[in-house]
Amino acid sequence: MHKFLRPALVLSLLGLAACDEMAVANDPTALADLRGQKSCVAAVAKQTSASGVTLNTTLPIVEINRYVVDVPNAPSWTCVTDDNGKALQIVERRTG
């Protein structure tokens, strides 16, 4: 029974991700922004091997193609993407 549960869960999550992109498919800027957010979260999660990595929505970012990504119990990261939303550079944020 458990053999079938995992693929079903993965397929449902892929479906949700596709729905996000379909919702903004007619807006290239919004689509690139959504892809950038996902790409940055994935890049930081891969670099840190942390779970629960999320996009920071409280810090104001005025630069285009830049995001702040939070890692639980660790410093946040800044991520820069290309115009298509692919993460190009991630840097751990330092204070002080």
Side-chain angles (χ1 to χ4, degrees):
M1 181 87 172
H2 287 29
K3 290 191 293 187
F4 300 110
L5 184 58
R6 185 169 289 178
L9 179 61
V10 169
L11 288 175
S12 67
L13 291 175
L14 287 175
L16 287 175
C19 288
D20 286 347
E21 290 197 13
M22 287 179 58
V24 295
N26 293 329
D27 184 346
T29 303
L31 183 58
D33 187 52
L34 178 63
R35 288 179 176 167
Q37 293 172 16
K38 291 178 180 181
S39 177
C40 284
V41 168
V44 172
K46 182 178 179 182
Q47 177 69 29
T48 62
S49 300
S51 61
V53 175
T54 59
L55 188 69
N56 183 304
T57 57
T58 59
L59 291 175
I61 304 294
V62 294
E63 294 92 355
I64 297 173
N65 301 340
R66 290 188 187 264
Y67 304 92
V68 174
V69 180
D70 293 333
V71 178
N73 303 313
S76 296
W77 291 67
T78 298
C79 176
V80 179
T81 67
D82 65 14
D83 289 336
N84 296 316
K86 180 181 177 190
L88 298 175
Q89 180 184 36
I90 57 173
V91 178
E92 186 176 4
R93 294 173 56 95
R94 309 258 172 153
T95 57

